[in-house]
Amino acid sequence: EEEQHYEDEEDDYVEENQPTDDDDEPTAAGEDAVLDIAELEQLQEEAERMKGLGNKHMAAQEYTRAYNAYSAALQLSPVGPSSHVFLSNRAASLLSLKRYSAAAVDARRAVALAPTFGKAHARLGQALYFLKQYKGAVEAYEDALKYEEEDGYGGGNNAVTRAYLQKAREKLAKQEEKERKKRAGAATEDATVDGDETTAFGPMSVVTDKEGVGLASGMRASSNERINSAARNNGQNQVS
């Protein structure tokens, strides 16, 4: 009896686990997935075709058409396996069109999708260079060289990147030196203003002395010019 009871339980188990009509649903879902993959592959192929068309336009210096072709590729495959290339190439077309801010946006998007893609960093560096954001340009070019070397890229692209990196470093050094002198000059003028107000001019301020009373009271014209210069510089340095 115990043996028969075991067999009955086993039969119940088999019956409970027999396939039902509901088990056909995963098969249908699998077929849909296969169709989706096929459609995505077709879209990716078309996107690659548009990229190739864009490259031809770039070679012919037809930059607006190249931009449109890369844009079409991105519409077909916005987050596909080659989307970072489409963005980087579109950044190149924007650089040729001198649309540097838009080029920087596309290059940053390409870097976000593929952080080790050297060309995207190089194009970001070029965009920032022409935007006179030399610190960011230097960083981008350094990253470009790093990843280009890791990927085994060399030759002309590497040489161009190095050349622009050197230019960006020189521009950054000049920019920083100019800012340093500007700050030092502002500090010197501020000190001069404070000294003149307490010794030569008393409580009178030439900035508010529109009628020239200060000059009639014996104030020197050179001191007057220094005061007005300091006032102008202080106004330029304020940020809103």
Side-chain angles (χ1 to χ4, degrees):
E1 291 180 359
E2 291 179 359
E3 184 176 354
Q4 182 65 36
H5 179 67
Y6 175 81
E7 290 177 355
D8 290 342
E9 289 182 344
E10 187 177 41
D11 291 340
D12 291 342
Y13 176 81
V14 172
E15 290 177 0
E16 290 173 357
N17 289 274
Q18 289 299 314
T20 64
D21 293 339
D22 294 339
D23 292 330
D24 293 336
E25 292 181 2
T27 302
E31 291 175 354
D32 290 341
V34 171
L35 289 174
D36 289 343
I37 292 173
E39 290 175 358
L40 288 172
E41 288 177 348
Q42 290 178 356
L43 290 172
Q44 183 63 32
E45 289 177 3
E46 181 63 16
E48 291 289 346
R49 190 183 74 81
M50 295 307 298
K51 184 200 79 170
L53 182 61
N55 291 349
K56 289 180 180 179
H57 286 312
M58 286 292 289
Q61 298 183 0
E62 298 170 347
Y63 304 123
T64 299
R65 290 183 176 180
Y67 170 84
N68 291 335
Y70 296 136
S71 296
L74 283 165
Q75 288 179 343
L76 291 163
S77 181
V79 288
S82 301
S83 297
H84 63 289
V85 177
F86 305 155
L87 283 164
S88 179
N89 286 5
R90 192 168 74 171
S93 68
L94 287 165
L95 286 169
S96 297
L97 292 168
K98 298 183 179 181
R99 294 173 57 186
Y100 304 124
S101 295
V105 171
D106 271 0
R108 285 194 171 100
R109 289 176 62 192
V111 168
L113 289 176
T116 61
F117 186 48
K119 286 185 178 180
H121 289 280
R123 283 159 185 166
L124 175 59
Q126 192 171 5
L128 296 177
Y129 178 88
F130 286 114
L131 289 170
K132 298 183 179 181
Q133 299 178 19
Y134 300 120
K135 184 176 181 180
V138 167
E139 293 173 354
Y141 281 131
E142 288 175 345
D143 288 337
L145 284 175
K146 173 185 174 182
Y147 294 123
E148 284 173 358
E149 290 172 357
E150 287 180 358
D151 291 340
Y153 294 125
N157 287 338
N158 230 321
V160 171
T161 301
R162 290 183 185 280
Y164 267 105
L165 173 58
Q166 183 60 33
K167 286 183 178 181
R169 284 173 173 167
E170 292 172 358
K171 292 283 188 178
L172 177 60
K174 290 179 180 179
Q175 189 180 64
E176 290 177 341
E177 178 65 14
K178 185 177 180 180
E179 289 296 322
R180 188 191 66 77
K181 289 181 178 179
K182 186 176 180 180
R183 289 193 299 269
T188 301
E189 289 176 349
D190 287 343
T192 303
V193 170
D194 292 341
D196 287 345
E197 284 180 347
T198 56
T199 58
F201 306 140
M204 181 64 70
S205 171
V206 175
V207 176
T208 59
D209 186 13
K210 298 180 180 179
E211 300 299 326
V213 176
L215 294 177
S217 302
M219 297 180 183
R220 295 175 297 178
S222 59
S223 297
N224 187 22
E225 291 172 358
R226 288 200 304 273
I227 296 295
N228 286 323
S229 175
R232 288 194 297 271
N233 289 333
N234 288 335
Q236 291 172 355
N237 290 331
Q238 290 178 354
V239 293
S240 58

